[in-house]
Amino acid sequence: WYVRAKASPGAVVTTDAYPSVTAKDINIGVVTSLVDEKGVFYGAVGMDVTIGALTNFALGFRTHPAGNTFLVDRNGIVLANRDSRLHGKKIEEYSPALQALLTKHDAGIRALDISGQKHFLFSQVSSERDWTIAVLVAAADIEKVIRGPVLWMVFSLSVGLLLLSVL
């Protein structure tokens, strides 16, 4: 982390995820260089952010319908997810199809199949940290939300047409 901070004077940089020495958790180092008034490097300072803290932050995002939120680093390592067993592991262990989409490092909405079920992936890449936040929502859950208003509209139009035909 020291070398990384020294190589980026004036910038805040992050390390790749690594196992914590003091706790059963995964850490991300956030570091910056220390420079004097002439811009000469004389040290580095940093802190570790645990995956637990990142998970609490990432899971604060609420979606409707409910989705599965992932925070993934540039190497495809899961930094945050409600399933703590995924922390520090490659996203491909959850789904190779999800890994293939997330490693393209582009944002947007895409469809994919996971275990024979259609899902939609909503993702955004952080250009500053090269992390991706992704929300995976089952297509069936989206259809449930849409189905009620559509059926109500079809019913209302049908009743309206029926009333008009009587007149």
Side-chain angles (χ1 to χ4, degrees), residues 10-130:
V12 176
V13 293
T14 58
T15 67
D16 291 333
Y18 60 92
S20 173
V21 175
T22 58
K24 290 185 177 184
D25 207 344
I26 305 293
N27 289 342
I28 302 292
V30 181
V31 299
T32 192
S33 58
L34 299 172
V35 294
D36 65 17
E37 60 278 350
K38 295 178 184 174
V40 177
F41 175 85
Y42 65 88
V45 64
M47 66 179 234
D48 290 332
V49 178
T50 66
I51 293 296
L54 283 174
T55 298
N56 292 338
F57 173 75
L59 297 181
F61 294 104
R62 297 287 178 227
T63 61
H64 182 71
N68 192 356
T69 304
F70 295 87
L71 183 61
V72 180
D73 75 4
R74 67 182 157 270
N75 300 314
I77 302 295
V78 177
L79 303 176
N81 182 265
R82 66 177 173 232
D83 183 353
S84 61
R85 294 172 297 178
L86 292 174
H87 297 173
K89 299 207 170 127
K90 288 272 193 182
I91 190 71
E92 70 184 335
E93 291 184 33
Y94 180 82
S95 166
L98 185 56
Q99 169 77 16
L101 290 176
L102 292 179
T103 54
K104 292 180 182 176
H105 298 289
D106 56 349
I109 303 169
R110 292 161 304 234
L112 70 153
D113 284 333
I114 297 177
S115 302
Q117 292 185 348
K118 186 174 182 179
H119 289 78
F120 286 98
L121 174 67
F122 303 83
S123 64
Q124 181 63 46
V125 179
S126 165
S127 58
E128 292 178 8
R129 300 290 171 249
D130 204 16

